[in-house]
PDB file of all heavy atoms in Angstrom:
ATOM      1  N   ALA A   1       3.130 -13.329  -2.097  1.00  0.00           N
ATOM      2  CA  ALA A   1       4.038 -13.457  -0.963  1.00  0.00           C
ATOM      3  C   ALA A   1       5.237 -12.546  -1.091  1.00  0.00           C
ATOM      4  O   ALA A   1       5.846 -12.120  -0.137  1.00  0.00           O
ATOM      5  CB  ALA A   1       4.573 -14.922  -0.945  1.00  0.00           C
ATOM      6  N   THR A   2       5.499 -12.042  -2.350  1.00  0.00           N
ATOM      7  CA  THR A   2       6.609 -11.098  -2.583  1.00  0.00           C
ATOM      8  C   THR A   2       6.178  -9.703  -2.756  1.00  0.00           C
ATOM      9  O   THR A   2       6.898  -8.863  -3.219  1.00  0.00           O
ATOM     10  CB  THR A   2       7.498 -11.577  -3.785  1.00  0.00           C
ATOM     11  OG1 THR A   2       6.625 -11.612  -4.994  1.00  0.00           O
ATOM     12  CG2 THR A   2       8.090 -12.910  -3.555  1.00  0.00           C
ATOM     13  N   GLN A   3       4.871  -9.390  -2.450  1.00  0.00           N
ATOM     14  CA  GLN A   3       4.325  -8.016  -2.579  1.00  0.00           C
ATOM     15  C   GLN A   3       5.259  -7.116  -1.791  1.00  0.00           C
ATOM     16  O   GLN A   3       5.495  -7.332  -0.658  1.00  0.00           O
ATOM     17  CB  GLN A   3       2.918  -8.008  -2.113  1.00  0.00           C
ATOM     18  CG  GLN A   3       2.164  -6.724  -2.478  1.00  0.00           C
ATOM     19  CD  GLN A   3       1.632  -6.752  -3.919  1.00  0.00           C
ATOM     20  OE1 GLN A   3       1.256  -7.809  -4.392  1.00  0.00           O
ATOM     21  NE2 GLN A   3       1.641  -5.669  -4.603  1.00  0.00           N
ATOM     22  N   SER A   4       5.695  -5.961  -2.446  1.00  0.00           N
ATOM     23  CA  SER A   4       6.528  -5.022  -1.684  1.00  0.00           C
ATOM     24  C   SER A   4       6.001  -3.705  -1.734  1.00  0.00           C
ATOM     25  O   SER A   4       5.037  -3.343  -2.446  1.00  0.00           O
ATOM     26  CB  SER A   4       7.986  -5.053  -2.420  1.00  0.00           C
ATOM     27  OG  SER A   4       7.833  -4.476  -3.718  1.00  0.00           O
ATOM     28  N   ASN A   5       6.670  -2.720  -0.989  1.00  0.00           N
ATOM     29  CA  ASN A   5       6.242  -1.386  -0.955  1.00  0.00           C
ATOM     30  C   ASN A   5       6.311  -0.667  -2.266  1.00  0.00           C
ATOM     31  O   ASN A   5       5.720   0.423  -2.453  1.00  0.00           O
ATOM     32  CB  ASN A   5       6.882  -0.648   0.243  1.00  0.00           C
ATOM     33  CG  ASN A   5       6.427  -1.141   1.574  1.00  0.00           C
ATOM     34  OD1 ASN A   5       5.473  -1.845   1.673  1.00  0.00           O
ATOM     35  ND2 ASN A   5       7.352  -0.801   2.550  1.00  0.00           N
ATOM     36  N   THR A   6       7.258  -1.216  -3.117  1.00  0.00           N
ATOM     37  CA  THR A   6       7.421  -0.467  -4.439  1.00  0.00           C
ATOM     38  C   THR A   6       6.304  -0.802  -5.410  1.00  0.00           C
ATOM     39  O   THR A   6       6.180  -0.086  -6.406  1.00  0.00           O
ATOM     40  CB  THR A   6       8.729  -0.852  -5.058  1.00  0.00           C
ATOM     41  OG1 THR A   6       8.823  -2.287  -5.256  1.00  0.00           O
ATOM     42  CG2 THR A   6       9.932  -0.326  -4.150  1.00  0.00           C
ATOM     43  N   GLN A   7       5.512  -1.821  -5.111  1.00  0.00           N
ATOM     44  CA  GLN A   7       4.355  -2.220  -5.926  1.00  0.00           C
ATOM     45  C   GLN A   7       3.114  -2.321  -5.012  1.00  0.00           C
ATOM     46  O   GLN A   7       2.856  -3.333  -4.378  1.00  0.00           O
ATOM     47  CB  GLN A   7       4.555  -3.582  -6.608  1.00  0.00           C
ATOM     48  CG  GLN A   7       5.676  -3.614  -7.554  1.00  0.00           C
ATOM     49  CD  GLN A   7       5.473  -2.686  -8.754  1.00  0.00           C
ATOM     50  OE1 GLN A   7       4.365  -2.564  -9.262  1.00  0.00           O
ATOM     51  NE2 GLN A   7       6.534  -1.996  -9.147  1.00  0.00           N
ATOM     52  N   PRO A   8       2.368  -1.208  -4.854  1.00  0.00           N
ATOM     53  CA  PRO A   8       1.232  -1.171  -3.893  1.00  0.00           C
ATOM     54  C   PRO A   8       0.213  -2.166  -4.238  1.00  0.00           C
ATOM     55  O   PRO A   8       0.031  -2.554  -5.383  1.00  0.00           O
ATOM     56  CB  PRO A   8       0.807   0.237  -4.046  1.00  0.00           C
ATOM     57  CG  PRO A   8       1.206   0.680  -5.445  1.00  0.00           C
ATOM     58  CD  PRO A   8       2.510   0.023  -5.687  1.00  0.00           C
ATOM     59  N   LEU A   9      -0.474  -2.543  -3.191  1.00  0.00           N
ATOM     60  CA  LEU A   9      -1.581  -3.574  -3.315  1.00  0.00           C
ATOM     61  C   LEU A   9      -2.735  -3.011  -4.119  1.00  0.00           C
ATOM     62  O   LEU A   9      -3.314  -3.635  -5.009  1.00  0.00           O
ATOM     63  CB  LEU A   9      -2.104  -3.981  -1.945  1.00  0.00           C
ATOM     64  CG  LEU A   9      -2.993  -5.191  -1.941  1.00  0.00           C
ATOM     65  CD1 LEU A   9      -2.358  -6.387  -2.565  1.00  0.00           C
ATOM     66  CD2 LEU A   9      -3.343  -5.525  -0.469  1.00  0.00           C
ATOM     67  N   LEU A  10      -3.077  -1.722  -3.923  1.00  0.00           N
ATOM     68  CA  LEU A  10      -4.125  -1.050  -4.752  1.00  0.00           C
ATOM     69  C   LEU A  10      -3.543   0.152  -5.383  1.00  0.00           C
ATOM     70  O   LEU A  10      -2.825   0.957  -4.660  1.00  0.00           O
ATOM     71  CB  LEU A  10      -5.261  -0.693  -3.887  1.00  0.00           C
ATOM     72  CG  LEU A  10      -6.046  -1.776  -3.240  1.00  0.00           C
ATOM     73  CD1 LEU A  10      -7.086  -1.211  -2.250  1.00  0.00           C
ATOM     74  CD2 LEU A  10      -6.739  -2.592  -4.297  1.00  0.00           C
ATOM     75  N   ARG A  11      -3.750   0.374  -6.637  1.00  0.00           N
ATOM     76  CA  ARG A  11      -3.246   1.503  -7.408  1.00  0.00           C
ATOM     77  C   ARG A  11      -4.435   2.061  -8.213  1.00  0.00           C
ATOM     78  O   ARG A  11      -5.066   1.428  -8.994  1.00  0.00           O
ATOM     79  CB  ARG A  11      -2.133   1.008  -8.393  1.00  0.00           C
ATOM     80  CG  ARG A  11      -1.509   2.068  -9.173  1.00  0.00           C
ATOM     81  CD  ARG A  11      -0.532   1.474 -10.147  1.00  0.00           C
ATOM     82  NE  ARG A  11       0.486   0.750  -9.318  1.00  0.00           N
ATOM     83  CZ  ARG A  11       1.757   0.673  -9.531  1.00  0.00           C
ATOM     84  NH1 ARG A  11       2.244   1.200 -10.665  1.00  0.00           N
ATOM     85  NH2 ARG A  11       2.680   0.120  -8.704  1.00  0.00           N
ATOM     86  N   LEU A  12      -4.768   3.324  -7.949  1.00  0.00           N
ATOM     87  CA  LEU A  12      -5.773   4.011  -8.667  1.00  0.00           C
ATOM     88  C   LEU A  12      -5.074   4.899  -9.632  1.00  0.00           C
ATOM     89  O   LEU A  12      -4.143   5.652  -9.358  1.00  0.00           O
ATOM     90  CB  LEU A  12      -6.646   4.784  -7.709  1.00  0.00           C
ATOM     91  CG  LEU A  12      -7.313   4.063  -6.539  1.00  0.00           C
ATOM     92  CD1 LEU A  12      -8.016   4.979  -5.643  1.00  0.00           C
ATOM     93  CD2 LEU A  12      -8.202   2.919  -7.087  1.00  0.00           C
ATOM     94  N   ARG A  13      -5.598   4.899 -10.901  1.00  0.00           N
ATOM     95  CA  ARG A  13      -4.978   5.692 -12.007  1.00  0.00           C
ATOM     96  C   ARG A  13      -5.969   6.468 -12.713  1.00  0.00           C
ATOM     97  O   ARG A  13      -7.201   6.218 -12.718  1.00  0.00           O
ATOM     98  CB  ARG A  13      -4.253   4.728 -12.962  1.00  0.00           C
ATOM     99  CG  ARG A  13      -3.309   3.868 -12.307  1.00  0.00           C
ATOM    100  CD  ARG A  13      -2.528   2.972 -13.209  1.00  0.00           C
ATOM    101  NE  ARG A  13      -3.256   2.297 -14.239  1.00  0.00           N
ATOM    102  CZ  ARG A  13      -2.665   1.656 -15.281  1.00  0.00           C
ATOM    103  NH1 ARG A  13      -1.413   1.428 -15.252  1.00  0.00           N
ATOM    104  NH2 ARG A  13      -3.385   1.093 -16.207  1.00  0.00           N
ATOM    105  N   ASN A  14      -5.514   7.602 -13.454  1.00  0.00           N
ATOM    106  CA  ASN A  14      -6.406   8.347 -14.223  1.00  0.00           C
ATOM    107  C   ASN A  14      -6.656   7.681 -15.560  1.00  0.00           C
ATOM    108  O   ASN A  14      -6.023   6.580 -15.897  1.00  0.00           O
ATOM    109  CB  ASN A  14      -5.851   9.833 -14.369  1.00  0.00           C
ATOM    110  CG  ASN A  14      -4.590   9.915 -15.068  1.00  0.00           C
ATOM    111  OD1 ASN A  14      -4.212   9.056 -15.879  1.00  0.00           O
ATOM    112  ND2 ASN A  14      -3.945  11.044 -14.965  1.00  0.00           N
ATOM    113  N   ALA A  15      -7.436   8.306 -16.420  1.00  0.00           N
ATOM    114  CA  ALA A  15      -7.735   7.668 -17.772  1.00  0.00           C
ATOM    115  C   ALA A  15      -6.544   7.505 -18.609  1.00  0.00           C
ATOM    116  O   ALA A  15      -6.539   6.621 -19.526  1.00  0.00           O
ATOM    117  CB  ALA A  15      -8.800   8.617 -18.461  1.00  0.00           C
ATOM    118  N   ALA A  16      -5.451   8.299 -18.445  1.00  0.00           N
ATOM    119  CA  ALA A  16      -4.228   8.182 -19.258  1.00  0.00           C
ATOM    120  C   ALA A  16      -3.316   7.146 -18.676  1.00  0.00           C
ATOM    121  O   ALA A  16      -2.232   6.785 -19.274  1.00  0.00           O
ATOM    122  CB  ALA A  16      -3.535   9.522 -19.263  1.00  0.00           C
ATOM    123  N   GLY A  17      -3.663   6.629 -17.453  1.00  0.00           N
ATOM    124  CA  GLY A  17      -2.883   5.519 -16.885  1.00  0.00           C
ATOM    125  C   GLY A  17      -1.798   6.082 -15.904  1.00  0.00           C
ATOM    126  O   GLY A  17      -0.952   5.260 -15.406  1.00  0.00           O
ATOM    127  N   ALA A  18      -1.832   7.313 -15.543  1.00  0.00           N
ATOM    128  CA  ALA A  18      -0.900   7.868 -14.533  1.00  0.00           C
ATOM    129  C   ALA A  18      -1.423   7.544 -13.196  1.00  0.00           C
ATOM    130  O   ALA A  18      -2.610   7.679 -12.859  1.00  0.00           O
ATOM    131  CB  ALA A  18      -0.774   9.374 -14.801  1.00  0.00           C
ATOM    132  N   ASP A  19      -0.508   7.216 -12.294  1.00  0.00           N
ATOM    133  CA  ASP A  19      -0.946   6.877 -10.978  1.00  0.00           C
ATOM    134  C   ASP A  19      -1.534   8.094 -10.237  1.00  0.00           C
ATOM    135  O   ASP A  19      -0.941   9.203 -10.270  1.00  0.00           O
ATOM    136  CB  ASP A  19       0.270   6.327 -10.101  1.00  0.00           C
ATOM    137  CG  ASP A  19       0.625   4.939 -10.488  1.00  0.00           C
ATOM    138  OD1 ASP A  19      -0.085   4.319 -11.324  1.00  0.00           O
ATOM    139  OD2 ASP A  19       1.674   4.426  -9.938  1.00  0.00           O
ATOM    140  N   LEU A  20      -2.578   7.920  -9.508  1.00  0.00           N
ATOM    141  CA  LEU A  20      -3.193   8.973  -8.637  1.00  0.00           C
ATOM    142  C   LEU A  20      -3.025   8.628  -7.129  1.00  0.00           C
ATOM    143  O   LEU A  20      -2.820   9.553  -6.361  1.00  0.00           O
ATOM    144  CB  LEU A  20      -4.659   9.138  -8.973  1.00  0.00           C
ATOM    145  CG  LEU A  20      -4.991   9.559 -10.330  1.00  0.00           C
ATOM    146  CD1 LEU A  20      -6.552   9.436 -10.551  1.00  0.00           C
ATOM    147  CD2 LEU A  20      -4.562  10.926 -10.661  1.00  0.00           C
ATOM    148  N   LEU A  21      -3.198   7.415  -6.804  1.00  0.00           N
ATOM    149  CA  LEU A  21      -3.272   6.983  -5.429  1.00  0.00           C
ATOM    150  C   LEU A  21      -2.789   5.577  -5.225  1.00  0.00           C
ATOM    151  O   LEU A  21      -3.160   4.747  -5.996  1.00  0.00           O
ATOM    152  CB  LEU A  21      -4.708   7.165  -4.825  1.00  0.00           C
ATOM    153  CG  LEU A  21      -4.964   6.795  -3.387  1.00  0.00           C
ATOM    154  CD1 LEU A  21      -4.226   7.662  -2.465  1.00  0.00           C
ATOM    155  CD2 LEU A  21      -6.443   6.761  -3.099  1.00  0.00           C
ATOM    156  N   HIS A  22      -2.011   5.334  -4.194  1.00  0.00           N
ATOM    157  CA  HIS A  22      -1.648   3.886  -3.792  1.00  0.00           C
ATOM    158  C   HIS A  22      -2.192   3.703  -2.433  1.00  0.00           C
ATOM    159  O   HIS A  22      -2.274   4.592  -1.589  1.00  0.00           O
ATOM    160  CB  HIS A  22      -0.067   3.847  -3.743  1.00  0.00           C
ATOM    161  CG  HIS A  22       0.621   4.043  -5.018  1.00  0.00           C
ATOM    162  ND1 HIS A  22       2.050   4.097  -5.071  1.00  0.00           N
ATOM    163  CD2 HIS A  22       0.146   4.045  -6.307  1.00  0.00           C
ATOM    164  CE1 HIS A  22       2.317   4.293  -6.345  1.00  0.00           C
ATOM    165  NE2 HIS A  22       1.314   4.232  -7.108  1.00  0.00           N
ATOM    166  N   ILE A  23      -2.662   2.485  -2.198  1.00  0.00           N
ATOM    167  CA  ILE A  23      -3.080   1.980  -0.865  1.00  0.00           C
ATOM    168  C   ILE A  23      -2.379   0.734  -0.599  1.00  0.00           C
ATOM    169  O   ILE A  23      -2.404  -0.212  -1.346  1.00  0.00           O
ATOM    170  CB  ILE A  23      -4.626   1.858  -0.751  1.00  0.00           C
ATOM    171  CG1 ILE A  23      -5.355   3.135  -1.193  1.00  0.00           C
ATOM    172  CG2 ILE A  23      -4.984   1.323   0.598  1.00  0.00           C
ATOM    173  CD1 ILE A  23      -6.766   2.998  -1.309  1.00  0.00           C
ATOM    174  N   HIS A  24      -1.602   0.735   0.551  1.00  0.00           N
ATOM    175  CA  HIS A  24      -0.763  -0.436   0.794  1.00  0.00           C
ATOM    176  C   HIS A  24      -0.448  -0.553   2.321  1.00  0.00           C
ATOM    177  O   HIS A  24      -0.640   0.307   3.050  1.00  0.00           O
ATOM    178  CB  HIS A  24       0.622  -0.210  -0.055  1.00  0.00           C
ATOM    179  CG  HIS A  24       1.476  -1.421  -0.010  1.00  0.00           C
ATOM    180  ND1 HIS A  24       1.060  -2.550  -0.588  1.00  0.00           N
ATOM    181  CD2 HIS A  24       2.609  -1.675   0.523  1.00  0.00           C
ATOM    182  CE1 HIS A  24       2.062  -3.516  -0.377  1.00  0.00           C
ATOM    183  NE2 HIS A  24       3.058  -2.876   0.220  1.00  0.00           N
ATOM    184  N   SER A  25       0.037  -1.610   2.600  1.00  0.00           N
ATOM    185  CA  SER A  25       0.603  -1.972   3.946  1.00  0.00           C
ATOM    186  C   SER A  25       1.642  -2.990   3.834  1.00  0.00           C
ATOM    187  O   SER A  25       1.536  -3.892   3.042  1.00  0.00           O
ATOM    188  CB  SER A  25      -0.539  -2.391   4.889  1.00  0.00           C
ATOM    189  OG  SER A  25      -0.016  -2.681   6.207  1.00  0.00           O
ATOM    190  N   ASP A  26       2.616  -2.967   4.700  1.00  0.00           N
ATOM    191  CA  ASP A  26       3.614  -3.996   4.694  1.00  0.00           C
ATOM    192  C   ASP A  26       3.538  -4.894   5.933  1.00  0.00           C
ATOM    193  O   ASP A  26       4.368  -5.784   6.200  1.00  0.00           O
ATOM    194  CB  ASP A  26       5.067  -3.488   4.455  1.00  0.00           C
ATOM    195  CG  ASP A  26       5.442  -2.476   5.531  1.00  0.00           C
ATOM    196  OD1 ASP A  26       4.608  -2.250   6.492  1.00  0.00           O
ATOM    197  OD2 ASP A  26       6.562  -1.955   5.486  1.00  0.00           O
ATOM    198  N   GLY A  27       2.517  -4.617   6.718  1.00  0.00           N
ATOM    199  CA  GLY A  27       2.261  -5.478   7.988  1.00  0.00           C
ATOM    200  C   GLY A  27       1.070  -4.902   8.635  1.00  0.00           C
ATOM    201  O   GLY A  27       0.473  -3.927   8.282  1.00  0.00           O
ATOM    202  N   PRO A  28       0.509  -5.650   9.653  1.00  0.00           N
ATOM    203  CA  PRO A  28      -0.753  -5.282  10.263  1.00  0.00           C
ATOM    204  C   PRO A  28      -0.722  -3.974  11.081  1.00  0.00           C
ATOM    205  O   PRO A  28      -1.780  -3.467  11.452  1.00  0.00           O
ATOM    206  CB  PRO A  28      -1.095  -6.477  11.123  1.00  0.00           C
ATOM    207  CG  PRO A  28       0.196  -7.184  11.356  1.00  0.00           C
ATOM    208  CD  PRO A  28       1.092  -6.919  10.156  1.00  0.00           C
ATOM    209  N   THR A  29       0.430  -3.464  11.296  1.00  0.00           N
ATOM    210  CA  THR A  29       0.500  -2.269  12.082  1.00  0.00           C
ATOM    211  C   THR A  29       0.812  -1.015  11.312  1.00  0.00           C
ATOM    212  O   THR A  29       0.937   0.040  11.849  1.00  0.00           O
ATOM    213  CB  THR A  29       1.670  -2.403  13.180  1.00  0.00           C
ATOM    214  OG1 THR A  29       2.901  -2.589  12.608  1.00  0.00           O
ATOM    215  CG2 THR A  29       1.311  -3.532  14.151  1.00  0.00           C
ATOM    216  N   ASN A  30       0.929  -1.151   9.934  1.00  0.00           N
ATOM    217  CA  ASN A  30       1.289  -0.048   9.148  1.00  0.00           C
ATOM    218  C   ASN A  30       0.240   0.216   8.067  1.00  0.00           C
ATOM    219  O   ASN A  30      -0.357  -0.763   7.511  1.00  0.00           O
ATOM    220  CB  ASN A  30       2.623  -0.325   8.297  1.00  0.00           C
ATOM    221  CG  ASN A  30       3.847  -0.325   9.266  1.00  0.00           C
ATOM    222  OD1 ASN A  30       3.784   0.380  10.264  1.00  0.00           O
ATOM    223  ND2 ASN A  30       4.810  -1.042   8.896  1.00  0.00           N
ATOM    224  N   THR A  31      -0.022   1.522   7.832  1.00  0.00           N
ATOM    225  CA  THR A  31      -1.008   1.923   6.842  1.00  0.00           C
ATOM    226  C   THR A  31      -0.399   2.965   5.921  1.00  0.00           C
ATOM    227  O   THR A  31       0.051   3.979   6.469  1.00  0.00           O
ATOM    228  CB  THR A  31      -2.293   2.389   7.394  1.00  0.00           C
ATOM    229  OG1 THR A  31      -2.862   1.451   8.263  1.00  0.00           O
ATOM    230  CG2 THR A  31      -3.336   2.794   6.401  1.00  0.00           C
ATOM    231  N   PHE A  32      -0.404   2.798   4.646  1.00  0.00           N
ATOM    232  CA  PHE A  32       0.221   3.769   3.716  1.00  0.00           C
ATOM    233  C   PHE A  32      -0.887   4.132   2.674  1.00  0.00           C
ATOM    234  O   PHE A  32      -1.405   3.314   1.929  1.00  0.00           O
ATOM    235  CB  PHE A  32       1.375   3.146   2.988  1.00  0.00           C
ATOM    236  CG  PHE A  32       2.393   2.496   3.811  1.00  0.00           C
ATOM    237  CD1 PHE A  32       2.885   1.323   3.550  1.00  0.00           C
ATOM    238  CD2 PHE A  32       2.743   3.179   4.979  1.00  0.00           C
ATOM    239  CE1 PHE A  32       3.930   0.719   4.213  1.00  0.00           C
ATOM    240  CE2 PHE A  32       3.687   2.496   5.858  1.00  0.00           C
ATOM    241  CZ  PHE A  32       4.272   1.279   5.529  1.00  0.00           C
ATOM    242  N   ILE A  33      -1.292   5.406   2.683  1.00  0.00           N
ATOM    243  CA  ILE A  33      -2.261   5.922   1.660  1.00  0.00           C
ATOM    244  C   ILE A  33      -1.666   7.191   1.023  1.00  0.00           C
ATOM    245  O   ILE A  33      -1.508   8.161   1.674  1.00  0.00           O
ATOM    246  CB  ILE A  33      -3.635   6.230   2.436  1.00  0.00           C
ATOM    247  CG1 ILE A  33      -4.161   5.028   3.143  1.00  0.00           C
ATOM    248  CG2 ILE A  33      -4.609   6.866   1.425  1.00  0.00           C
ATOM    249  CD1 ILE A  33      -5.344   5.365   4.022  1.00  0.00           C
ATOM    250  N   GLY A  34      -1.414   7.091  -0.312  1.00  0.00           N
ATOM    251  CA  GLY A  34      -0.893   8.172  -1.044  1.00  0.00           C
ATOM    252  C   GLY A  34       0.085   7.729  -2.041  1.00  0.00           C
ATOM    253  O   GLY A  34       0.677   6.611  -1.886  1.00  0.00           O
ATOM    254  N   LEU A  35       0.324   8.440  -3.122  1.00  0.00           N
ATOM    255  CA  LEU A  35       1.308   8.072  -4.117  1.00  0.00           C
ATOM    256  C   LEU A  35       2.709   7.946  -3.442  1.00  0.00           C
ATOM    257  O   LEU A  35       3.235   8.863  -2.936  1.00  0.00           O
ATOM    258  CB  LEU A  35       1.261   9.171  -5.248  1.00  0.00           C
ATOM    259  CG  LEU A  35       2.057   8.802  -6.460  1.00  0.00           C
ATOM    260  CD1 LEU A  35       1.504   7.649  -7.194  1.00  0.00           C
ATOM    261  CD2 LEU A  35       2.085  10.074  -7.415  1.00  0.00           C
ATOM    262  N   ASN A  36       3.271   6.767  -3.609  1.00  0.00           N
ATOM    263  CA  ASN A  36       4.612   6.467  -3.001  1.00  0.00           C
ATOM    264  C   ASN A  36       4.621   6.455  -1.417  1.00  0.00           C
ATOM    265  O   ASN A  36       5.770   6.417  -0.872  1.00  0.00           O
ATOM    266  CB  ASN A  36       5.598   7.260  -3.556  1.00  0.00           C
ATOM    267  CG  ASN A  36       5.834   7.037  -5.073  1.00  0.00           C
ATOM    268  OD1 ASN A  36       5.884   5.827  -5.460  1.00  0.00           O
ATOM    269  ND2 ASN A  36       5.934   8.115  -5.798  1.00  0.00           N
ATOM    270  N   ALA A  37       3.522   6.485  -0.743  1.00  0.00           N
ATOM    271  CA  ALA A  37       3.587   6.663   0.676  1.00  0.00           C
ATOM    272  C   ALA A  37       4.127   5.344   1.260  1.00  0.00           C
ATOM    273  O   ALA A  37       3.804   4.256   0.812  1.00  0.00           O
ATOM    274  CB  ALA A  37       2.176   6.850   1.189  1.00  0.00           C
ATOM    275  N   GLY A  38       5.096   5.472   2.185  1.00  0.00           N
ATOM    276  CA  GLY A  38       5.630   4.335   2.864  1.00  0.00           C
ATOM    277  C   GLY A  38       6.535   3.420   2.032  1.00  0.00           C
ATOM    278  O   GLY A  38       6.853   2.367   2.350  1.00  0.00           O
ATOM    279  N   ARG A  39       6.902   3.978   0.889  1.00  0.00           N
ATOM    280  CA  ARG A  39       7.621   3.124  -0.119  1.00  0.00           C
ATOM    281  C   ARG A  39       8.890   2.579   0.423  1.00  0.00           C
ATOM    282  O   ARG A  39       9.270   1.426   0.005  1.00  0.00           O
ATOM    283  CB  ARG A  39       7.878   3.975  -1.384  1.00  0.00           C
ATOM    284  CG  ARG A  39       8.468   3.240  -2.485  1.00  0.00           C
ATOM    285  CD  ARG A  39       8.641   4.108  -3.656  1.00  0.00           C
ATOM    286  NE  ARG A  39       9.370   3.385  -4.732  1.00  0.00           N
ATOM    287  CZ  ARG A  39       9.001   3.335  -5.969  1.00  0.00           C
ATOM    288  NH1 ARG A  39       7.953   4.075  -6.405  1.00  0.00           N
ATOM    289  NH2 ARG A  39       9.671   2.664  -6.902  1.00  0.00           N
TER     290      ARG A  39
END
């Protein structure tokens, strides 16, 4: 219920643990794809 744009719903990382891609939305009309997109 408190999921925010600063903590994406999906986070893809490399083997070292560095973020590669975020996939998130804060509502049904918004789509954010990319590292820190729509943050």
